[in-house]
Amino acid sequence: EVPATKAFADVTRLRVTLLAGAAVVAFLLLWLLPLLAVRLGRARERIVVSERFQADLLPTDLPQGVTTVYVASEKRMLLGGDFLDAVRLADGSLAVLMGDVCGHGPRAAALAARLRASWRTLATAGTPIERLDVLDRILVSERPDEDLFATVVVAHIDPTGRHLRWALAGHPPALLDVGHGVETLEHEGRGPALGLVEGIPWPVAERDLPEHWTLVLFTDGLIEARGPAGGERLELLGLQALVETARRAGGISPQVLVDSVADLAHADGRGLDDDLAILIVNDDSTLLQPPDSVVHEGPVG
């Protein structure tokens, strides 16, 4: 008994409201889509730039027998502060470097690039590896903020491949696989990280090497990776076990270690918490190999 015009009055108003709302949404989409496309394009460009810059932190002319890998954290920015290098000197000996600037992003990456370039200059000029005080002064003068510091481990292997010297500046110790076990190259009196304390020396440790050996340098992202056992960190003991397992399985390589750590992290659903870098050198790298370039040793002021 209700007239149709009255019964469907609300429907008419609803139709008008929906049409008006659809028009507003269409207008917003037409205005937002180009803006979103521009922002997505800029984001892709930033990712490409970050990837290229991070790649520039890694050397492209490593000596024969030195293998490396770098993996960006899955939870942070692409740019990180991990850096590494290796240089064969004029006498056939090998100098290697692994370092980590605290933090992430452009500031840490830029400082890491400066430190790697400075170390390579010092190494090729014949400056002994224990001159971490020079790197410390460079870091202090080049860092954009006083809260930035870096941890470093440097090592030197003589031309025969039978003698190793190394120094630590607040960095996780390197691992040395000698065939019957994996040792941590730690020693008493290790020095502080670069950029924290002035005037404290960085002592140098040394030891003889057997006929066959493998040296593993890494950043803390490797030992801080979490495994499936309650989310516990891998730490040094877990990493030693991974190195021994890799050796028994056919050989130690950076990619094998990274894959193993990534498998553990993904099994727990956490992913990699931090960037990680690995450098591996073994006795084959010192067998009858000429220097990469002729460098005349001399003092550096």
Side-chain angles (χ1 to χ4, degrees):
E1 298 178 357
V2 179
T5 54
K6 184 177 180 181
F8 294 102
D10 289 340
V11 174
T12 302
R13 287 194 295 270
L14 178 61
R15 182 185 300 149
V16 173
T17 302
L18 288 176
L19 288 175
V24 171
V25 171
F27 174 78
L28 290 176
L29 287 176
L30 290 175
W31 179 74
L32 287 175
L33 284 177
L35 181 62
L36 289 175
V38 171
R39 292 194 175 185
L40 286 174
R42 291 176 178 173
R44 282 193 292 266
E45 291 177 0
R46 286 195 292 268
I47 290 175
V48 171
V49 170
S50 296
E51 289 176 340
R52 290 177 179 173
F53 189 76
Q54 189 69 64
D56 289 341
L57 293 180
L58 306 177
T60 57
D61 57 344
L62 289 170
Q64 182 179 348
V66 177
T67 54
T68 66
V69 70
Y70 172 87
V71 178
S73 167
E74 300 169 10
K75 301 181 178 180
R76 299 180 184 273
M77 298 177 61
L78 286 173
L79 287 176
D82 294 6
F83 59 99
L84 55 89
D85 207 347
V87 175
R88 193 175 305 283
L89 306 183
D91 61 356
S93 60
L94 188 66
V96 295
L97 162 78
M98 179 66 71
D100 185 5
V101 175
C102 70
H104 296 78
R107 295 188 313 158
L111 185 57
R114 294 189 186 105
L115 290 176
R116 185 179 76 83
S118 299
W119 177 85
R120 176 168 279 248
T121 301
L122 293 172
T124 54
T127 301
I129 65 163
E130 55 264 37
R131 291 304 306 271
L132 288 177
D133 60 311
V134 177
L135 277 184
D136 183 65
R137 292 199 297 270
I138 292 173
L139 183 147
V140 171
S141 64
E142 293 287 338
R143 61 185 175 186
D145 297 301
E146 292 186 358
D147 61 338
L148 287 179
F149 63 91
T151 65
V152 169
V153 55
V154 289
H156 179 271
I157 304 159
D158 77 340
T160 67
R162 294 300 184 88
H163 193 73
L164 171 68
R165 300 166 61 241
W166 73 93
L168 292 170
H171 199 83
L175 299 181
L176 181 66
D177 179 67
V178 292
H180 56 77
V182 178
E183 307 172 11
T184 59
L185 294 182
E186 243 180 322
H187 61 284
E188 295 181 1
R190 58 185 295 177
L194 304 180
L196 292 183
V197 184
E198 294 183 10
I200 295 182
W202 286 269
V204 175
E206 55 185 307
R207 60 156 293 166
D208 292 328
L209 296 172
E211 182 179 358
H212 300 294
W213 51 267
T214 300
L215 182 65
V216 182
L217 281 68
F218 55 92
T219 54
D220 58 2
L222 195 61
I223 57 176
E224 290 180 357
R226 298 178 183 272
E232 296 178 357
R233 297 191 178 197
L234 192 61
E235 299 297 350
L236 277 174
L237 290 177
L239 182 56
Q240 286 177 268
L242 282 183
V243 172
E244 292 182 358
T245 301
R247 187 218 315 139
R248 291 194 297 268
I252 304 170
S253 74
Q255 197 58 52
V256 167
L257 296 181
V258 167
D259 290 344
S260 300
V261 171
D263 289 344
L264 290 174
H266 292 153
D268 194 43
R270 295 174 178 267
L272 297 174
D273 291 332
D274 197 2
D275 305 331
L276 60 89
I278 304 175
L279 183 149
I280 293 181
V281 57
N282 56 39
D283 53 274
D284 291 336
S285 64
T286 57
L287 296 178
L288 303 176
Q289 294 181 18
D292 300 315
S293 60
V294 177
V295 178
H296 299 285
E297 295 188 3
V300 175

